[in-house]
């Protein structure tokens, strides 16, 4: 029997029965697999246990930490190294062979993994979607996800999605990619990005208002790929016509058209996503930093008072 690779895998999940079989199959070389569940109502738990995963329930109390940081702080990992994998991601045999090698190297405390994003069955390799570096493999005692101060916004979920890991020590880059492909339909893509746009709107507002950046990876034009991207975002949030710019950037400037029909659809959806972020940002700015709260505008209150006065007369 082939020995397992001494890595503990962490999978955050909720109702992911469509994606879990392929994900868990790709993770079998790992010594240990934790499924951190948010009270799934489908067959996610049953599937996870059939693949030998340890299921732990997480109940979000509405404040920091969210699911991944909570797991890093509380799970009894058997191994020094942890690998964070989403349910719609797969780790290839080539990546596992490389992981088994690099964790023997004491030079680095973590590694970025490049991700191939598939959409409508096609690899989206243009439009700025590739390379897509994510810090997913690291010594669990050395890394924690940044806090971007978004937990006060409702309907964003209980899991860190676009936050990045802050790691103590040197970081390396793996040569082989992991795969990202959601086996669910476009309804779920749209539903997920509706939640993400709530989160993004708060991030935009924080950037515009100069929110304290301590506890984050920071924005640095001369830093690593993630820090450079964060720096560009501080410029991006101040630009006009962002939905149109998002499409032109993805489809024309970054050659998303080379991905054919799938690339065009993806670009249009990203433009729509940018519009959602914009209107929710406006909602935050005009309602005291709160989303989805019914308030009585000043002019409505005035009309109501006038009608009350007329009735009294």
């Amino acid at each position: 029997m082939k020995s397992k690779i001494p890595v503990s895998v962490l999978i955050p999940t909720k109702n992911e029965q469509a994606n879990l079989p392929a994900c868990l199959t790709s993770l079998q070389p790992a010594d240990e697999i934790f499924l951190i569940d948010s009270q799934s109502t489908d067959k996610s738990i049953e599937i996870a246990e059939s693949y030998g995963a340890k299921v732990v329930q997480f109940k979000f109390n509405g404040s920091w930490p969210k699911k991944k940081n909570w797991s890093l702080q509380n799970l009894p990992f058997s191994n020094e190294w942890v690998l964070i994998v989403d349910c719609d991601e797969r780790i290839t045999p080539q990546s596992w062979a490389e992981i088994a090698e690099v964790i023997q190297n004491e030079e680095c405390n973590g590694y970025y993994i490049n991700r191939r994003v598939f959409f409508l069955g096609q690899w989206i390799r243009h439009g700025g979607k590739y390379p897509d570096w994510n810090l997913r493999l690291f010594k669990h005692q050395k890394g924690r996800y940044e806090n971007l101060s978004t937990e006060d916004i409702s309907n964003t979920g209980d899991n860190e999605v676009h936050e990045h890991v802050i790691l103590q020590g040197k970081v390396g880059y793996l040569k082989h990619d992991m795969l990202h492909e959601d086996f669910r339909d476009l309804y779920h893509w749209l539903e997920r990005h509706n939640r993400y746009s709530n989160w993004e709107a708060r991030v935009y507002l924080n950037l515009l208002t100069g929110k304290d950046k301590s506890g984050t990876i920071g924005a640095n034009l001369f830093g690593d790929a993630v820090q450079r991207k964060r720096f560009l975002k501080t410029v991006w949030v101040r630009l006009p016509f962002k939905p149109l710019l998002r499409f032109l950037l993805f489809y024309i400037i970054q050659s998303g058209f080379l991905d054919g029909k799938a690339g065009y659809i993806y670009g249009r959806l990203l433009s729509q996503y940018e519009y959602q972020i914009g209107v929710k940002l406006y909602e935050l700015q005009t309602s005291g930093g709160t989303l989805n709260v019914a308030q009585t505008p000043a002019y409505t209150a005035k009309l109501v008072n006038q009608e009350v006065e007329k009735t009294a007369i």
Side-chain angles (χ1 to χ4, degrees), residues 221-287:
L221 180 60
F222 303 103
D224 60 28
V226 177
Q227 290 174 319
R228 290 195 300 272
K229 189 174 182 180
R230 182 65 56 79
F231 174 82
L232 293 175
K233 196 165 192 173
T234 64
V235 177
W236 173 261
V237 296
R238 291 170 170 82
L239 297 178
F241 311 116
K242 284 191 285 294
L244 174 61
L245 290 175
R246 186 77 179 262
F247 177 77
L248 293 176
L249 179 64
F250 174 87
Y251 195 69
I252 304 298
I253 299 173
Q254 296 179 310
S255 304
F257 64 87
L258 292 176
D259 290 319
K261 185 69 172 181
Y264 176 75
I265 294 172
Y266 200 88
R268 288 294 300 269
L269 288 174
L270 287 179
S271 176
Q272 175 183 313
Y273 176 55
E274 194 65 51
Y275 182 75
Q276 288 180 323
I277 297 170
V279 295
K280 290 178 179 180
L281 173 61
Y282 176 76
E283 184 180 19
L284 285 172
Q285 292 171 323
T286 57
S287 59

Side-chain angles (χ1 to χ4, degrees), residues 74-141:
N74 292 282
L75 293 184
F77 296 116
S78 300
N79 303 286
E80 181 182 30
W81 288 86
V82 66
L83 176 66
I84 313 279
V85 180
D86 290 335
C87 294
D88 52 9
E89 295 172 341
R90 333 276 177 244
I91 305 299
T92 66
Q94 294 84 0
S95 292
W96 275 121
E98 186 178 8
I99 289 170
E101 181 180 346
V102 298
I103 61 175
Q104 305 301 321
N105 183 359
E106 291 298 324
E107 182 180 0
C108 294
N109 286 338
Y111 290 87
Y112 281 100
I113 305 178
N114 201 3
R115 189 169 66 163
R116 298 189 186 188
V117 174
F118 288 80
F119 179 73
L120 295 178
Q122 181 173 331
W123 176 19
I124 305 298
R125 59 185 305 173
H126 302 95
K129 294 303 295 180
Y130 187 85
D132 180 21
W133 293 104
N134 293 264
L135 182 55
R136 298 294 192 84
L137 176 69
F138 54 93
K139 296 179 180 179
H140 68 84
Q141 294 181 338

Side-chain angles (χ1 to χ4, degrees), residues 120-301:
L120 295 178
Q122 181 173 331
W123 176 19
I124 305 298
R125 59 185 305 173
H126 302 95
K129 294 303 295 180
Y130 187 85
D132 180 21
W133 293 104
N134 293 264
L135 182 55
R136 298 294 192 84
L137 176 69
F138 54 93
K139 296 179 180 179
H140 68 84
Q141 294 181 338
K142 301 293 185 179
R144 292 293 183 269
Y145 281 85
E146 62 181 342
N147 183 357
L148 295 178
S149 302
T150 61
E151 59 271 16
D152 60 325
I153 299 299
S154 60
N155 299 319
T156 59
D158 63 357
N159 186 36
E160 301 90 341
V161 177
H162 296 129
E163 289 90 345
H164 295 284
V165 173
I166 300 174
L167 189 74
Q168 303 173 33
K170 186 176 179 180
V171 183
Y173 291 81
L174 297 183
K175 298 176 182 177
H176 295 94
D177 300 344
M178 66 177 177
L179 310 180
H180 177 284
E181 183 174 15
D182 194 340
F183 291 159
R184 298 174 301 176
D185 56 26
L186 281 176
Y187 171 89
H188 291 92
W189 193 99
L190 293 168
E191 179 187 47
R192 185 167 69 248
H193 282 76
N194 188 28
R195 295 197 311 271
Y196 292 172
S197 59
N198 277 15
W199 182 92
E200 291 276 15
R202 165 55 84 182
V203 172
Y204 277 29
L205 183 63
N206 290 346
L207 290 172
L208 289 170
T209 56
K211 182 79 174 180
D212 181 18
K213 299 180 182 63
S214 61
T216 76
I217 60 167
N220 186 353
L221 180 60
F222 303 103
D224 60 28
V226 177
Q227 290 174 319
R228 290 195 300 272
K229 189 174 182 180
R230 182 65 56 79
F231 174 82
L232 293 175
K233 196 165 192 173
T234 64
V235 177
W236 173 261
V237 296
R238 291 170 170 82
L239 297 178
F241 311 116
K242 284 191 285 294
L244 174 61
L245 290 175
R246 186 77 179 262
F247 177 77
L248 293 176
L249 179 64
F250 174 87
Y251 195 69
I252 304 298
I253 299 173
Q254 296 179 310
S255 304
F257 64 87
L258 292 176
D259 290 319
K261 185 69 172 181
Y264 176 75
I265 294 172
Y266 200 88
R268 288 294 300 269
L269 288 174
L270 287 179
S271 176
Q272 175 183 313
Y273 176 55
E274 194 65 51
Y275 182 75
Q276 288 180 323
I277 297 170
V279 295
K280 290 178 179 180
L281 173 61
Y282 176 76
E283 184 180 19
L284 285 172
Q285 292 171 323
T286 57
S287 59
T290 305
L291 283 174
N292 304 322
V293 175
Q295 296 182 339
T296 304
Y299 70 90
T300 303

Side-chain angles (χ1 to χ4, degrees), residues 10-15 34-46 48-49 54-60 67 70-71 74-75 158:
L10 171 60
I11 314 173
T13 188
K14 181 176 182 179
N15 293 334
F34 280 101
L35 187 89
I36 313 306
D37 185 62
S38 297
Q39 298 79 58
S40 289
T41 56
D42 64 0
K43 296 182 179 179
S44 292
I45 297 175
E46 177 183 337
E49 291 177 340
K54 303 174 183 179
V55 178
V56 177
Q57 289 295 329
F58 172 72
K59 294 184 178 180
F60 186 47
K67 188 184 294 186
W70 180 89
S71 300
N74 292 282
L75 293 184
D158 63 357

